[in-house]
Amino acid sequence: MSGILAGKRILVTGVLMESSIAFHTARLAQEQGAEVILTAFPRPTLTERIARKLPKPAKVIELDVTNDEHLDRLAGLVREELGGLDGVVHSIGFAPQDALGGNFLNTPFESVSTAMHVSAFSLKSLTMACLPLMEEGGSVVGLTFDAQFAWPQYDWMGPAKAALEATSRYLARDLGKQQIRCNLISAGPIGSMAAKSIPGFTDLAKVWDDRSPLEWDMADPEPAGRGVVALLSDWFPKTTGEIVHVDGGVHIMGA
């Protein structure tokens, strides 16, 4: 099969719904010639059902990115299936309910710590777990939601995404000598499972109705998925530590 990912082996996390950016990334990666393996938590069986809708079969591995045992066994399981990796997609984020929805000033540190661990530190954990599989270099691509701003209802996920963005830059710095690139896609709001867990998400999404230069469709994750696939490919061979906005242009708008 020809395509910009022909011959590539890609690990994709976070496929929970057919409406997710991760699902469309996996689909597009397969269509562009890649072999794809998925990870899932906490319900691998759910991801296995969704994976049946991909163009080709994809194995699903259970992976809790806060569990050292899961991280330690990941490389061996992936090597058995694919032999190695050329790309990793980090599509993982979580914050407890008391860290969202307008509760910023009252959120306890325990909840903040969980948000930071799952949503930011996990980029480093996942990348290091996969590092032995990328002996000839590769591309790590994560998903963020523009952390330059304080968004309505987003609360502690905002600082968590800011930490994710900084983590990506430091990984880019430290892994460049091994020919591993680390970049992020900053996507506009998508009606995914993660989004639906944010109280008042529709208020946040209305920003795009009023301010996006390009018409934004919350029901269309494909543009973001295309951005991820492009960064996984060899078409960005010297791009690292970058944040590519796939948000209809909202990030350029002033008042």
Side-chain angles (χ1 to χ4, degrees), residues 1-254:
M1 181 184 293
S2 62
I4 64 172
L5 294 184
K8 301 287 189 186
R9 301 156 298 176
I10 307 295
L11 180 145
V12 181
T13 65
V15 175
L16 294 176
M17 298 174 66
E18 193 174 355
S19 61
S20 69
I21 295 172
F23 173 84
H24 286 268
T25 295
R27 175 181 63 79
L28 290 162
Q30 287 187 341
E31 290 174 357
Q32 290 299 317
E35 293 183 82
V36 171
I37 193 166
L38 308 177
T39 73
F41 189 80
R43 295 173 60 193
T45 54
L46 173 61
T47 299
E48 288 169 353
R49 288 200 298 271
I50 299 299
R52 296 190 190 112
K53 300 182 180 181
L54 291 171
K56 297 193 300 183
K59 182 178 178 63
V60 178
I61 296 173
E62 183 180 21
L63 175 65
D64 174 0
V65 289
T66 69
N67 185 317
D68 288 340
E69 291 183 4
H70 284 203
L71 291 164
D72 290 344
R73 75 188 186 195
L74 179 63
L77 293 172
V78 174
R79 196 180 296 280
E80 288 177 6
E81 190 72 16
L82 299 181
L85 283 176
D86 303 289
V88 175
V89 178
H90 179 279
S91 180
I92 300 168
F94 172 78
Q97 284 296 298
D98 61 356
L100 300 163
N103 196 47
F104 184 86
L105 297 178
N106 300 309
T107 304
F109 177 72
E110 290 77 12
S111 296
V112 174
S113 175
T114 297
M116 291 290 180
H117 193 174
V118 177
S119 307
F121 186 78
S122 64
L123 178 63
K124 194 278 291 190
S125 301
L126 176 66
T127 301
M128 294 307 292
C130 293
L131 191 61
L133 301 165
M134 295 189 283
E135 296 174 353
E136 298 181 5
S139 176
V140 178
V141 184
L143 290 163
T144 189
F145 190 75
D146 202 329
Q148 298 178 86
F149 307 106
W151 297 103
Q153 312 299 326
Y154 208 48
D155 291 353
W156 281 99
M157 276 302 292
K161 290 297 188 183
L164 174 74
E165 293 175 9
T167 300
S168 178
R169 289 189 288 270
Y170 279 89
L171 285 171
R173 182 197 69 179
D174 290 350
L175 297 178
K177 290 181 180 179
Q178 299 179 54
Q179 300 304 310
I180 293 173
R181 297 170 283 127
C182 192
N183 296 288
L184 299 176
I185 291 290
S186 181
I190 298 294
S192 63
M193 181 177 290
K196 291 175 181 177
S197 69
I198 301 172
F201 176 77
T202 52
D203 294 335
L204 186 157
K206 285 178 183 176
V207 173
W208 268 254
D209 293 335
D210 299 331
R211 304 185 67 190
S212 181
L214 297 173
E215 183 178 358
W216 186 256
D217 183 357
M218 275 183 41
D220 184 11
E222 182 162 328
R226 284 176 176 252
V228 175
V229 167
L231 287 172
L232 289 169
S233 80
D234 293 332
W235 284 96
F236 286 85
K238 299 299 179 184
T239 298
T240 195
E242 187 60 88
I243 299 175
V244 177
H245 289 81
V246 183
D247 67 348
V250 165
H251 72 285
I252 68 168
M253 300 299 288

